[in-house]
Amino acid sequence: MSRKAGGPTSEESSKSARTRERILDAAAHVLSRKGYAGTRLGDIADQAQLQAPAIYYYFGSREDLIEEVMWTGARRVREHVSETLDALPADTDPMDRICAAIEAHLHIELELSDFATAVIRNSGQIPEHLRTRQLAEEGEYGKLWRTLFRDLDNAGDLRPGLDPRVAHLLVLGAINWAAEWWNPKRDTFDAVVRNAQSLVRHGLSARSQLIEPDEQTGSRPPRKRTRRTP
Amino acid sequence: MSRKAGGPTSEESSKSARTRERILDAAAHVLSRKGYAGTRLGDIADQAQLQAPAIYYYFGSREDLIEEVMWTGARRVREHVSETLDALPADTDPMDRICAAIEAHLHIELELSDFATAVIRNSGQIPEHLRTRQLAEEGEYGKLWRTLFRDLDNAGDLRPGLDPRVAHLLVLGAINWAAEWWNPKRDTFDAVVRNAQSLVRHGLSARSQLIEPDEQTGSRPPRKRTRRTP
DNA sequence: GTCTATATACGGATAGAC
DNA sequence: GTCTATCCGTATATAGAC
C-alpha cells in the first residue's frame, strides 16, 4: 500500500544493511509465533533491540515489512530446495530426487529459518495484496514439485491410482505440518527425515505392491515391538 | 480469564440457545479465516447478524468465546472419528481402521466444520490459558491414533524403520494440511480421501516391499523421461 | 540513525435505554 | 435480549530533538 522508506535496500552488508536484516529477522520470528494480526511493531522492535519508530527508517510501513518477510521466506525455501536438487548427480533417479527435496524442505523449515515457518503459518491469514511476490515464488516452487512428480510418473514409478497433484500436496502437507509438532528434544531431525522419506518412498512407488498374506502362512511371527531408539 | 456471562449454557435448543449457537458458529467461521489476533467481535457479530455488545449476553468475554470454539472443534473431531471407528465391524483389520479414521478426519475437516479448521489453524497462536480444555481433548485424540498405530504394529504390519509416533504425526499432517489447499472445484472429496488412503496404506504397511528392478527385465516399457523445463 | 513525545484510529468492554 | 453511546487501553505512524 505505502511506498518504501528512504532506507537502504541493497544486499551489501553495511552497518545500515545489517540493522535492516536484524529487523527483518525479528519480524519473521514474531510473525511465525504470533500470526499476522498479532504481530506488533513493538514486539519486533524488542526482538531487534531498538525502538519501534526506528523501523520506519528501513521500512515504509508494518505491511511493507511483513510483505517482505513472506516473500523472503517463500524465496529462501525454493532456492534451498532447488540448489539441493541441482547439486545431485545427473543420473539420480526420480524417487531419490524426491527424497532429497523432502530432506531439504524439512531442513530449511525446521532448522534454518523462521522465515519458512512464518510463511507456512500465515499464508492463509494475510491480505491478498501483501502476497503478490510470495505467490509468484510459490508458483515456481509448485512447478519444481510438479516436475519431480512428473519425472517419477514418466519413469513408470508413480503407483497407479495416485493423482500426481493431490499426492504432491499430501506429501508437502506432511512435511509442512512437522513445524507444528517437531520437538528436537523428542525426535532427532534425522529421525523425522528418515520416517518422512520412508513413508513417501513406499507410499508413492509403483514398485511398492502390497503382498497379500492370503492364508495365514505363519511365516511371520506376530512381533511385540520394542521402542525404537533414534 | 473472565467468568462466564449469565447467559444460557445448556444444549437444549430454545430460541436463546440457538442464538448462542449462531454466535459460536460465526466465531468459528471468522477464527478459521482471520486467525486469533485478527478475530474481531464486530466481524463475528456481522456473521451472526447482530450487534457486537449482544455477544456479551451469551459469553463473558472475547476470550471465553474463542476458548469455547477451540474446545468444541477439538471435541467434535475426536467424537466424529471415534464414532466412525466404533461403527466398524469388530474384526476390521488395523490398516482398514486407520483408513477409516483418515476418511472421517478429512470429512469433518473439509466438509462439516469451521470448528475443525479453526482448531487446525490457530492452535499455534492462541495463548496457553485458553487451551486447557482443547489440550485435554487433543490428548484423548492422540491416544486414539496411538492405539490405531499400536494395533497395526502388534499385528506385525507396521514397516520396520518407521517410528509409530513420528509416522502418525506425519500422516495427521498430510490430512490436516488439506484444509489449506483443497478446492472442491478441482478435486472431489473422494479423490482426496482415496489418494490419502493409498499413500498411507502403502507408506505404512510392512507388506509393502519395494520390488527391486535389478536388471531391466523388460516387463515395464522404459518410458522416456523428459527434461525439466525451467 | 535512533530516540521521546504525541496525534489518531480502532477494538473490547460497559452503561443504560427500550 | 438487543440496541446506541461511550469509555479506555493499545497500536500504527509521524514530528521533531539529539
Side-chain angles (χ1 to χ4, degrees):
Chain A
M1 199 62 94
S2 50
R3 284 294 308 129
K4 273 276 160 56
T9 12
S10 69
E11 293 183 7
E12 90 230 54
S13 60
S14 59
K15 265 164 248 170
S16 174
R18 269 181 281 117
T19 304
R20 192 178 192 279
E21 279 300 299
R22 237 173 51 232
I23 295 172
L24 203 61
D25 288 349
H29 180 88
V30 176
L31 192 59
S32 70
R33 286 158 180 79
K34 300 290 188 67
Y36 170 65
T39 294
R40 311 277 175 238
L41 291 180
D43 296 337
I44 295 171
D46 287 349
Q47 183 74 19
Q49 292 177 301
L50 37 72
Q51 297 301 310
I55 293 170
Y56 287 91
Y57 181 78
Y58 299 94
F59 298 90
S61 68
R62 173 182 179 275
E63 290 198 341
D64 283 356
L65 171 54
I66 289 174
E67 188 275 343
E68 186 156 332
V69 171
M70 297 296 283
W71 172 58
T72 302
R75 184 167 46 81
R76 287 190 187 175
V77 170
R78 182 185 60 77
E79 284 174 357
H80 180 72
V81 175
S82 180
E83 284 162 14
T84 301
L85 290 172
D86 287 347
L88 293 175
D91 62 346
T92 307
D93 83 61
M95 187 64 86
D96 288 337
R97 288 174 60 82
I98 287 176
C99 285
I102 287 171
E103 171 162 17
H105 186 110
L106 281 168
H107 190 228
I108 195 163
E109 172 190 346
L110 300 180
E111 299 209 305
L112 290 182
S113 173
D114 282 335
F115 287 84
T117 44
V119 171
I120 290 171
R121 290 180 170 153
N122 288 291
S123 287
Q125 319 192 329
I126 290 201
E128 280 301 313
H129 71 279
L130 298 183
R131 299 185 61 211
T132 316
R133 289 197 293 175
Q134 181 207 342
L135 287 174
E137 278 296 338
E138 289 184 350
E140 289 301 308
Y141 193 51
K143 269 189 206 166
L144 183 157
W145 278 93
R146 273 195 297 282
T147 301
L148 290 173
F149 273 68
R150 198 202 51 207
D151 290 348
L152 187 75
D153 200 10
N154 287 343
D157 200 21
L158 182 68
R159 187 151 36 75
L162 287 177
D163 175 274
R165 225 190 92 262
V166 173
H168 126 240
L169 289 164
L170 288 167
V171 168
L172 222 50
I175 59 184
N176 273 341
W177 196 256
E180 307 297 325
W181 56 263
W182 184 57
N183 178 351
K185 289 171 188 166
R186 288 194 87 153
D187 310 292
T188 64
F189 174 73
D190 283 347
V192 177
V193 171
R194 278 195 310 271
N195 275 273
Q197 289 175 334
S198 175
L199 189 70
V200 171
R201 191 183 282 277
H202 290 77
L204 294 180
S205 179
R207 293 186 283 124
S208 144
Q209 299 300 335
L210 290 184
I211 300 145
E212 284 302 324
D214 289 327
E215 306 292 309
Q216 283 298 95
T217 57
S219 63
R220 187 174 6 83
R223 294 203 256 152
K224 181 170 286 178
R225 188 181 301 228
T226 52
R227 196 163 251 309
R228 262 165 230 71
T229 46
Chain B
M1 204 58 94
S2 50
R3 283 299 307 131
K4 272 276 160 56
T9 11
S10 71
E11 293 184 6
E12 91 233 50
S13 60
S14 58
K15 266 164 246 170
S16 174
R18 270 181 280 117
T19 304
R20 192 179 190 280
E21 279 299 299
R22 237 173 51 233
I23 295 171
L24 203 62
D25 289 347
H29 180 88
V30 176
L31 192 59
S32 70
R33 286 158 181 79
K34 300 288 189 69
Y36 170 65
T39 294
R40 312 277 175 239
L41 291 179
D43 296 337
I44 295 171
D46 287 349
Q47 183 74 20
Q49 293 178 302
L50 38 70
Q51 297 300 311
I55 293 170
Y56 287 91
Y57 181 78
Y58 299 94
F59 298 90
S61 66
R62 173 182 179 276
E63 291 199 341
D64 283 356
L65 171 54
I66 289 174
E67 188 276 341
E68 186 156 334
V69 171
M70 296 296 284
W71 172 59
T72 302
R75 185 167 46 82
R76 287 191 188 176
V77 170
R78 182 184 61 77
E79 284 174 358
H80 181 71
V81 174
S82 179
E83 283 162 15
T84 302
L85 290 172
D86 287 348
L88 293 175
D91 63 344
T92 307
D93 80 62
M95 187 64 86
D96 288 337
R97 288 174 60 81
I98 287 177
C99 286
I102 287 171
E103 172 161 18
H105 185 109
L106 281 168
H107 190 229
I108 195 163
E109 171 190 345
L110 300 180
E111 299 208 303
L112 290 182
S113 172
D114 282 335
F115 287 83
T117 44
V119 171
I120 289 172
R121 291 180 169 153
N122 289 291
S123 287
Q125 321 193 326
I126 289 199
E128 280 300 313
H129 71 279
L130 298 182
R131 299 184 61 209
T132 317
R133 289 197 294 175
Q134 180 206 343
L135 287 173
E137 279 295 340
E138 290 185 350
E140 289 301 309
Y141 193 50
K143 268 190 207 166
L144 183 155
W145 278 93
R146 272 194 296 282
T147 301
L148 290 173
F149 273 69
R150 199 202 49 206
D151 290 349
L152 187 73
D153 200 11
N154 287 343
D157 200 20
L158 182 67
R159 186 150 37 72
L162 288 176
D163 176 275
R165 226 189 92 260
V166 174
H168 128 238
L169 289 164
L170 288 167
V171 167
L172 222 51
I175 59 185
N176 273 341
W177 196 256
E180 306 297 326
W181 56 263
W182 183 57
N183 178 352
K185 289 172 187 164
R186 288 195 86 155
D187 311 290
T188 64
F189 174 74
D190 283 347
V192 177
V193 171
R194 278 194 311 270
N195 275 272
Q197 288 174 334
S198 175
L199 190 70
V200 171
R201 189 182 283 276
H202 291 76
L204 294 180
S205 179
R207 293 186 283 123
S208 149
Q209 298 300 337
L210 291 184
I211 299 146
E212 285 301 325
D214 287 328
E215 307 289 309
Q216 283 299 95
T217 57
S219 63
R220 183 174 10 84
R223 294 212 243 154
K224 108 178 150 87
R225 185 182 312 177
T226 53
R227 208 167 241 310
R228 266 171 286 314
T229 48

